[in-house]
Amino acid sequence: MNPAESLTRSIAKSSSSKELVVTLSDVGIDQFIDSGVLRDIPIVGSIVGLVKAGNEIQAFLFARKVLAFLAETEKVPLATRAEFVAKHCDTKANSEHVGEVLLSYLSNIDHVKQAQILGRIFARFMLGEISRGSYDWHSAVARSLNPYLIAQIEMYYGSANGYRVDAPAVMQLANLFLLEVDYAQADPRMKYSNIPLRRSPRGTNFGSHFFDHYLKGLE
């Protein structure tokens, strides 16, 4: 079974991934694998392969991201997950395609929080709460974030009075439609009056939606 197919099978049957994330943080990757606690998660074969190749750090980071992702998908009832996988991964080719996309996402993100966000997005997709187009869009936004930007979003939308977003983050978040920025013409009597003045950023419906569904309560 290749890694892409094993990931889709893991989505369909995994359990207790949240507890495994904690366990992995407390012990070395070798001990974690030798303990056998991962035997019921098919994707573990890829992690073992990294360890055998001598890439223990990469294996540790990849394992944390995969388990964080699975912990969020496990909030979807097992029967619903199995039905989704049966429908969208009905052939080896389809299973590999779904798994390859997810593997690409998980391999190329830098932080566990991004994996959690991607897991929440995929969970909503499995539940039919968002369309395929929204799934692709939301996933693209999640992959563009980093811990700094995530913290800025959490402080802005999680604050009753609206946290003042750092200037370096404003345009990055506006480009993802997570904030909105207006410009006003400067007073013509001012020096450099030909340069528009940027007003304080405002929240967007999408930004609020993204925070409520994907960022709120992240650990």
Side-chain angles (χ1 to χ4, degrees):
M1 186 189 311
N2 65 41
E5 188 178 1
S6 68
L7 179 56
T8 57
R9 292 196 182 186
S10 297
I11 291 169
K13 63 180 293 188
S14 67
S15 62
S16 303
S17 292
K18 184 175 182 179
E19 290 77 11
L20 293 179
V21 173
V22 177
T23 303
L24 177 59
S25 299
D26 293 336
V27 301
I29 187 68
D30 287 334
Q31 183 180 343
F32 188 63
I33 291 172
D34 292 341
S35 67
V37 294
L38 292 176
R39 66 169 61 92
D40 293 328
I41 304 179
I43 190 63
V44 70
S46 300
I47 299 170
V48 173
L50 287 171
V51 173
K52 289 182 177 179
N55 297 323
E56 292 189 14
I57 294 177
Q58 186 178 351
F60 175 80
L61 295 175
F62 181 66
R64 276 178 54 82
K65 290 187 290 185
V66 168
L67 291 173
F69 173 85
L70 291 175
E72 296 300 330
T73 64
E74 286 169 13
K75 295 175 183 177
V76 177
L78 188 62
T80 303
R81 284 186 273 148
E83 181 181 354
F84 177 91
V85 171
K87 178 180 179 180
H88 295 273
C89 306
D90 54 334
T91 66
K92 183 177 178 64
N94 287 342
S95 179
E96 289 178 358
H97 174 70
V98 172
E100 283 173 3
V101 172
L102 289 173
L103 273 179
S104 174
Y105 289 172
L106 292 171
S107 297
N108 290 293
I109 58 176
D110 298 321
H111 200 269
V112 171
K113 277 194 174 183
Q114 288 174 283
Q116 288 180 276
I117 296 169
L118 287 171
R120 292 183 176 188
I121 295 170
F122 195 76
R124 294 191 70 209
F125 182 43
M126 287 194 289
L127 289 167
E129 296 179 2
I130 56 175
S131 66
R132 178 56 188 263
S134 293
Y135 164 70
D136 290 339
W137 172 24
H138 298 180
S139 296
V141 172
R143 300 195 319 273
S144 299
L145 297 176
N146 56 49
Y148 169 68
L149 293 178
I150 291 171
Q152 292 291 302
I153 299 168
E154 289 174 327
M155 288 187 286
Y156 181 84
Y157 286 101
S159 170
N161 300 318
Y163 170 83
R164 187 177 180 85
V165 179
D166 293 348
V170 170
M171 292 312 300
Q172 294 181 69
L173 295 177
N175 288 337
L176 296 171
F177 298 100
L178 295 169
L179 288 176
E180 186 175 59
V181 180
D182 285 338
Y183 289 88
Q185 189 61 47
D187 187 323
R189 293 169 297 179
M190 295 175 58
K191 190 177 183 181
Y192 306 119
S193 61
N194 60 317
I195 301 176
L197 297 177
R198 188 174 69 195
R199 293 173 174 166
S200 296
R202 299 195 307 268
T204 64
N205 289 335
F206 175 64
S208 179
H209 174 94
F210 197 89
F211 170 75
D212 287 338
H213 287 284
Y214 307 132
L215 271 66
K216 187 178 289 185
L218 282 182
E219 298 177 0

